[in-house]
Amino acid sequence: MLRTALRNIVAHKARLMMTALAVVLGTAFVSGTLIFSDTVGAAYRNAMSKNLKDVAVSVHAQSPRDADGAEPEDGRRSTALDDRLADRIRALPGVASVRPSLSGSAVVVGKDNQPLGREWGNLGVNYVADQDGKDGRYPLKEGRAPASAGEMALDAQSAQRGGYALGDTVRFATDGPALTKKLVGIVGTDDPQVTSGASLALFDTATAQKLFLHPGQYDELVVAAKPGTDNQALTDQVRRLLPKDRAEATSGTELAAQEAKMITEQTRSLTKMLLTFAGISLFVGVFIIANTFTMLIAQRSREIALMRAVGASRRQVVRAVLAEAGLLGLASSAVGFALGLGIAVGLRPLLNATGAGFPDGPLVISPAAVLAALGVGVLVTVLAAWLPSRKAAKIAPVEALSTVEAPPTQRGLVLRNSLGAVVTALGVAVMLYVYAQKNADALPMAMLGGALTLAGMIILAPLLSRPLVALAGKVTTRLFGVTGKLAKENALRNPRRTAATASALMIGLVLITGMTVGGHSVQRAMDEMVAKDLKADYKVTTSHFDGLDPELSKKAAQVPGVEAVAPLRRVGVTTTGTGFLSLTGTDLSQLPKVTDVRFDSGSYDAVRGNGIAVSRTKAKELGLKPGNTLAAEFFSGTAKKQKLTVAGIYEDNQVVGDALGAASLVDPHKKPFKDDAVLVKAADGKSTGLDKEIRDALGNSPLLKVQDRDALRNQDAGAINTMLNMMYGLLGMAVVIAVLGVVNTLAMSVFERTREIGMLRAIGLARSGIKQMVRLESVVISLFGAVLGIGVGVFLAWAGGSMTARSLPTYEMVLPWGRLALFFGIALVVGVLAAAWPARRAARLNMLESISAQ
């Protein structure tokens, strides 16, 4: 039977080609994802191991607060790690050296005044010279180490991006106005944060302490041990020297384990997401594989009957078909694994282009990735072929006497339709429940309801194919005459086959349509919120979210052309017996000029002293009404309890968030005292170009973000479009596999109808008519899948979109008609292109040979 399976693969290799391609693409996605995950993890671990090479003990500051538990008024952190503690650790037996280091955020701009590196994670550190005057962690490539307050060094990658050379003046900012220093050195580094895209600025220790901490203080003390020293024992000795609850010592071994765990967590979510899309692709491939083997078995029914007649048992027939599927899956998976290597290589630069920041490193191919790719490919192929193999085993030996032209017996669809109706109804009921909840907590239920609805539609597809294909057939018949009618009849001839082919395309379109409608609706809701809530012309923030000096809002108010300025300061508040509030404090006299707060009850005048106004949604969530008194505890900077009175309820407002209070209420609890954002309203006719004047007045710091209303809209829209484009790319694989399914079905269908096509040619149908018939059949099947996919996708987007209603009150489903029309157009093009080769093959069949075909 194994020999029979091999012979069948060789004999039908052309017919199995598209099926093999489907398996190849699916397993390529799986293997590429696994190899990529292993490669990135290894790159992170290699970089970390180099950084931790000489680390016996790492002493970290446990809390960035000073002795009284609050941050200093100047906003700079304070730690217990100082020179005196470093000297005490150096005196321990077994200690070879102690490297005191500190770091902070430093945003460097290039000569084009654009920030280098990512918007977040850019580092500023101290250069720690050893006895030779060099820092082993940051080896010099050019120049020398920074040695005074006016000097700095950059990593080689940042210097190249910024266009800097030794002797140039570099602009940067740490936590305020722009600073300049002379570039005296360029260094190399293995720090994965830097190699993955962040910038690195280095200063002498005294300068770094002035920028980020306080004189004599550090973030970390890195202890190197002498040869033969027990690192764990040394760690215990160091711990005994540390001030209680102010610092923590970790051995190099423990630190490596922690870093490895962190790396695993960082890559796990991305790996899961990519494997999910790989699973979707393989699921689509199941329809193609099952369809192919069903058609092959129908074509080989006489051959299988002869095998049964000469003594083959049902079990042997099943094994032969499954062996054929297994061999096909193994060969396809091997090719897919090779293709997956290319995907793994291309994923890193592709994702890094979107700001992912993965470090460089050699390709890692683990045995687990190889076995998983091959195992998944074989398993999926065998499982997809299982039902067709069972059907093959039911062929009776007496069928060897029947003619090959006899149409296969079609089983009834009553049981399938009943099951499909139940599953679909259950899925729709779950989605209606999700719609009624209007809560993001219903996500698991939404995923279940979506899966059930999609499964139900797949089961019902043969039933739905009859009316929808018949409707399309009326159009093709009217437009193309007899060829259009023949295309309709061919599509209706085997509803199961048509449904399976269309379902493969439907799955991809359901997901693409659902995400497109949901993303477009969220984007429109955000646009409406900006238009509705924001009256200001500009919003000023910082790129590292550390807040703005309150003096900057005063400077902004003095810019000619500025009508109003409202600083926003937010603190977290927990209320006894209710929950959490994000309380926004501001200048209430200026707020109405920059945003429209619509009160259901109360007014600005009532929000004085300890009075606060609460958003409608938050008030409903916490059960608050005007006049309620809250025992509130502030936890931003200092933890102080205070009585608050609910003085009003307002319609949800994106600008002020959960709750609104006077600046005098929030300011005592805001440590360090900074603005989270500043809203600027321009005078009539003065809004154009005012952003440059505002930036210049505020010191033109690289940290500043001065965004107008369009920039705020585009910021949200850009994130949504980036996500959608990435999803389109990932789901594109499933659509490509679905297209292969259409090609495969048509090609095998043409082979089945060889004699019929010969008869059509004999009675006068031209070659062009044969081509047109096959093309129209392909278009009808593709459009059937598109109607189901887009329809189900819109329904799921409508029901699932309600989950954003609480966090995005202006959300309302909006259909992007242009993109939906594009999806229909793509389905039409898919139908035409997928039929190109089968139609050409059908038209080239010899008339007499076709009529005499057996």
Side-chain angles (χ1 to χ4, degrees):
M1 299 308 291
L2 179 61
R3 189 161 54 245
T4 301
L6 286 169
R7 182 186 62 78
N8 283 331
I9 290 178
V10 174
H12 304 101
K13 54 182 178 293
R15 300 181 217 173
L16 292 170
M17 184 183 301
M18 297 302 170
T19 303
L21 280 175
V23 181
V24 165
L25 293 177
T27 53
F29 213 155
V30 172
S31 60
T33 298
L34 294 175
I35 295 171
F36 168 76
S37 177
D38 291 339
T39 299
V40 169
Y44 272 121
R45 284 189 289 273
N46 289 339
M48 289 297 180
S49 65
K50 290 180 181 179
N51 277 347
L52 299 175
K53 180 180 178 182
D54 298 320
V55 179
V57 184
S58 173
V59 180
H60 281 276
Q62 198 168 22
S63 173
R65 301 180 187 273
D66 54 22
D68 63 2
E71 295 184 8
E73 290 295 332
D74 62 6
R76 284 187 288 126
R77 296 169 295 123
S78 179
T79 78
L81 307 186
D82 53 22
D83 291 315
R84 186 176 61 176
L85 179 60
D87 290 338
R88 293 176 64 192
I89 294 174
R90 284 191 189 95
L92 290 174
V95 173
S97 65
V98 175
R99 184 186 191 278
S101 64
L102 62 133
S103 64
S105 175
V107 177
V108 181
V109 294
K111 289 187 175 181
D112 58 359
N113 209 36
Q114 296 300 313
L116 303 179
R118 301 186 299 254
E119 188 172 297
W120 49 270
N122 299 298
L123 289 174
V125 302
N126 64 319
Y127 188 94
V128 184
D130 56 18
Q131 295 178 349
D132 298 331
K134 298 179 180 179
D135 188 337
R137 179 172 288 189
Y138 305 111
L140 281 166
K141 290 191 170 185
E142 296 181 48
R144 60 176 176 82
S148 66
E151 299 176 344
M152 68 181 297
L154 286 174
D155 69 283
Q157 187 174 327
S158 297
Q160 183 180 10
R161 285 199 305 258
Y164 287 119
L166 295 179
D168 288 344
T169 299
V170 179
R171 287 183 72 246
F172 70 98
T174 59
D175 187 21
L179 303 172
T180 58
K181 295 188 185 296
K182 182 180 179 180
L183 182 65
V184 298
I186 296 176
V187 305
T189 179
D190 293 316
D191 189 327
Q193 188 168 336
V194 180
T195 57
S196 62
S199 63
L200 174 68
L202 301 98
F203 313 92
D204 67 280
T205 297
T207 301
Q209 288 172 334
K210 183 178 179 181
L211 290 172
F212 306 123
L213 289 172
H214 295 276
Q217 294 184 353
Y218 306 96
D219 287 316
E220 181 185 19
L221 301 176
V222 179
V223 182
K226 295 178 180 178
T229 302
D230 185 334
N231 289 349
Q232 189 57 52
L234 182 59
T235 303
D236 294 337
Q237 293 177 20
V238 170
R239 283 173 179 158
R240 287 193 285 269
L241 298 178
L242 302 182
K244 186 178 181 181
D245 299 329
R246 300 290 307 282
E248 182 180 16
T250 307
S251 70
T253 303
E254 293 173 334
L255 197 60
Q258 291 175 6
E259 296 289 355
K261 183 178 179 181
M262 180 186 69
I263 291 167
T264 301
E265 292 296 329
Q266 287 176 343
T267 57
R268 180 177 296 168
S269 58
L270 177 61
T271 302
K272 285 182 178 179
M273 183 188 74
L274 292 175
L275 285 177
T276 298
F277 285 97
I280 292 170
S281 298
L282 286 170
F283 182 62
V284 171
V286 166
F287 290 89
I288 299 173
I289 299 166
N291 228 9
T292 300
F293 276 92
T294 299
M295 296 172 75
L296 282 175
I297 286 165
Q299 294 168 13
R300 298 192 332 233
S301 58
R302 175 177 286 184
E303 175 188 327
I304 295 171
L306 285 171
M307 290 173 58
R308 295 278 287 115
V310 297
S313 66
R314 291 179 184 271
R315 183 173 296 179
Q316 286 178 311
V317 171
V318 170
R319 287 176 180 173
V321 175
L322 294 183
E324 184 178 342
L327 292 171
L328 176 67
L330 183 62
S332 302
S333 298
V335 177
F337 179 80
L339 182 60
L341 295 176
I343 293 176
V345 171
L347 265 178
R348 180 163 47 195
L350 180 64
L351 293 174
N352 281 347
T354 65
F358 293 115
D360 293 330
L363 201 65
V364 176
I365 304 174
S366 66
V370 178
L371 293 175
L374 296 179
V376 165
V378 172
L379 182 63
V380 167
T381 310
V382 170
L383 287 178
W386 183 73
L387 284 177
S389 72
R390 300 265 300 179
K391 183 177 180 181
K394 293 179 181 179
I395 297 176
V398 72
E399 292 189 32
L401 303 177
S402 63
T403 61
V404 72
E405 294 83 1
T409 303
Q410 295 290 327
R411 291 181 292 114
L413 293 171
V414 176
L415 179 60
R416 176 170 179 160
N417 293 341
S418 301
L419 177 62
V422 171
V423 174
T424 304
L426 185 59
V428 170
V430 172
M431 293 308 298
L432 292 177
Y433 170 79
V434 169
Y435 178 79
Q437 295 300 302
K438 299 186 183 298
N439 194 325
D441 295 338
L443 179 60
M445 291 295 292
M447 295 175 65
L448 174 62
L452 288 173
T453 303
L454 183 57
M457 294 303 295
I458 292 171
I459 299 171
L460 282 177
L463 175 66
L464 297 174
S465 68
R466 294 187 180 278
L468 292 178
V469 171
L471 180 63
K474 291 183 179 180
V475 177
T476 58
T477 301
R478 181 176 293 273
L479 294 177
F480 301 99
V482 67
T483 56
K485 184 175 182 180
L486 287 171
K488 179 198 73 172
E489 295 299 332
N490 289 334
L492 288 175
R493 183 178 299 183
N494 192 323
R496 285 186 174 84
R497 181 186 303 171
T498 299
T501 306
S503 293
L505 184 61
M506 177 187 73
I507 294 168
L509 284 176
V510 165
L511 298 173
I512 289 175
T513 301
M515 289 187 301
T516 300
V517 174
H520 184 78
S521 300
V522 168
Q523 184 176 322
R524 180 68 63 85
M526 289 180 172
D527 287 348
E528 288 183 6
M529 289 185 73
V530 171
K532 172 184 172 185
D533 296 338
L534 190 65
K535 295 167 64 176
D537 295 292
Y538 297 97
K539 181 179 181 180
V540 184
T541 55
T542 61
S543 59
H544 60 5
F545 309 108
D546 281 350
L548 296 159
D549 185 339
E551 292 298 318
L552 296 182
S553 61
K554 298 177 183 178
K555 293 180 181 180
Q558 296 172 2
V559 174
V562 171
E563 178 184 337
V565 173
L568 304 179
R569 301 174 192 128
R570 293 187 173 91
V571 293
V573 177
T574 55
T575 57
T576 304
T578 53
F580 169 81
L581 283 171
S582 176
L583 177 61
T584 299
T586 187
D587 183 348
L588 295 176
S589 65
Q590 297 293 304
L591 188 65
K593 300 177 183 179
V594 297
T595 185
D596 185 12
V597 178
R598 291 171 285 277
F599 284 90
D600 293 341
S601 61
S603 65
Y604 281 113
D605 293 335
V607 186
R608 305 292 178 184
N610 290 346
I612 63 171
V614 183
S615 70
R616 184 188 297 168
T617 298
K618 201 66 179 180
K620 182 179 180 181
E621 177 185 333
L622 302 181
L624 300 177
K625 296 180 180 180
N628 289 161
T629 300
L630 307 175
E633 181 176 322
F634 293 80
F635 57 91
S636 178
T638 58
K640 296 181 180 179
K641 292 185 178 180
Q642 189 171 342
K643 295 289 185 181
L644 301 179
T645 302
V646 178
I649 306 293
Y650 58 86
E651 184 180 329
D652 291 1
N653 183 289
Q654 183 188 29
V655 174
V656 295
D658 292 345
L660 172 66
S664 57
L665 174 63
V666 171
D667 290 355
H669 308 284
K670 189 71 173 173
K671 298 291 180 75
F673 182 57
K674 291 185 177 182
D675 296 332
D676 293 296
V678 174
L679 300 180
V680 180
K681 174 67 175 176
D684 292 340
K686 300 290 185 179
S687 60
T688 304
L690 193 60
D691 55 338
K692 185 178 184 303
E693 296 179 34
I694 294 172
R695 178 178 284 279
D696 290 340
L698 302 186
N700 198 21
S701 168
L703 302 177
L704 283 178
K705 292 175 65 177
V706 182
Q707 297 171 287
D708 60 16
R709 295 164 66 89
D710 289 336
L712 291 171
R713 289 193 188 98
N714 293 335
Q715 176 176 276
D716 296 329
I720 293 172
N721 286 331
T722 299
M723 181 197 71
L724 286 177
N725 290 335
M726 184 173 69
M727 295 302 176
Y728 289 158
L730 294 172
L731 288 172
M733 187 75 75
V735 175
V736 169
I737 292 175
V739 173
L740 294 177
V742 178
V743 176
N744 207 24
T745 298
L746 289 173
M748 299 187 74
S749 179
V750 166
F751 177 82
E752 281 184 348
R753 303 201 303 264
T754 298
R755 174 172 289 188
E756 176 185 318
I757 292 171
M759 292 296 293
L760 290 172
R761 292 277 290 116
I763 62 175
L765 190 60
R767 293 183 186 274
S768 59
I770 297 293
K771 287 184 179 180
Q772 189 176 77
M773 176 186 71
V774 176
R775 280 197 295 265
L776 289 175
E777 180 183 353
S778 176
V779 168
V780 167
I781 293 174
S782 298
L783 290 181
F784 170 52
V787 169
L788 290 184
I790 294 174
V792 175
V794 169
F795 168 73
L796 295 180
W798 169 76
S802 65
M803 293 186 295
T804 64
R806 180 169 296 183
S807 58
L808 201 58
T810 56
Y811 178 87
E812 184 177 332
M813 191 182 79
V814 179
L815 293 179
W817 292 108
R819 291 200 180 186
L820 296 183
L822 176 63
F823 296 159
F824 271 110
I826 290 174
L828 180 64
V829 172
V830 163
V832 173
L833 295 180
W837 175 60
R840 184 169 178 269
R841 182 176 180 274
R844 295 179 63 183
L845 290 174
N846 182 278
M847 186 189 311
L848 295 178
E849 290 179 356
S850 298
I851 293 173
S852 61
Q854 295 295 322

